[in-house]
Amino acid sequence: MFPARVLAGAPLALVILALSGCSSPWSCTDTTAERGAAGVKVHVEDTTGRPLGVTAEIVDWRLEPHPQVPSEGDRVHFRYRFDGADETSGPAVDACAVDEKSVALGCQTLYSSQAFGPGGDRTGDEWLAVEHPGQVAGVLLIPNDQSSDRRTCEQDVKDGGGLHPPEPAGRGDQL
């Protein structure tokens, strides 16, 4: 038999554990944000769909051999710009070469913090290898900020969970 004092203190102990941040595995939930509409110019949005005050834009693109490996044939060479991005910890968006039906032929993530240009412009250029360069009809950006590295429930039951960016875009995705 437990003394009455022990039984009387049990609810108080549970309240203290709950308030201290201890959580049980069944209270941790991961959810994924929906992928925003791709475009040549997009307003970058957080995981809740709210604009961050940053725009990302594909300035131009063309097919040409990469100067360091011309024997590998044409690649997608594109220039991009971030407006309103922070110099050190700005957002990141996926850029995808797409065919005429907006199916991704190849994608990569662009980090605004790695873009720099003359006069402080946040501009850059990238090369993207795709299997069939002749099918490329354009380069689109996906507005979801991919810079968040929030832990998942699987990685950390206590501190993980919450809303996460959509999975990065990949070849074959309909944008």
Side-chain angles (χ1 to χ4, degrees), residues 10-141:
L12 179 60
L14 290 174
V15 168
I16 290 171
L17 282 173
L19 293 175
S20 70
C22 293
S23 62
S24 59
W26 51 85
S27 68
C28 186
T29 57
D30 283 318
T31 54
T32 303
E34 292 209 20
R35 185 177 289 161
V40 173
K41 183 176 185 178
V42 297
H43 296 282
V44 183
E45 57 191 47
D46 66 12
T47 52
T48 65
R50 287 186 298 223
L52 296 176
V54 175
T55 57
E57 179 179 12
I58 297 297
V59 178
D60 67 14
W61 71 274
R62 61 188 167 278
L63 294 174
E64 62 186 356
H66 191 287
Q68 294 176 337
V69 284
S71 63
E72 292 182 4
D74 283 344
R75 292 188 181 186
V76 181
H77 183 203
F78 63 95
R79 291 186 322 120
Y80 61 93
R81 176 177 53 237
F82 284 93
D83 290 320
D86 184 280
E87 292 180 8
T88 57
S89 61
V93 295
D94 288 335
C96 298
V98 296
D99 66 11
E100 61 192 26
K101 295 180 181 175
S102 294
V103 173
L105 302 172
C107 301
Q108 69 184 61
T109 303
L110 305 175
Y111 294 87
S112 64
S113 60
Q114 295 176 336
F116 54 90
D121 290 344
R122 311 254 10 118
T123 60
D125 73 307
E126 289 292 333
W127 295 83
L128 186 58
V130 296
E131 191 171 336
H132 302 288
Q135 293 179 353
V136 176
V139 179
L140 299 178
L141 298 170

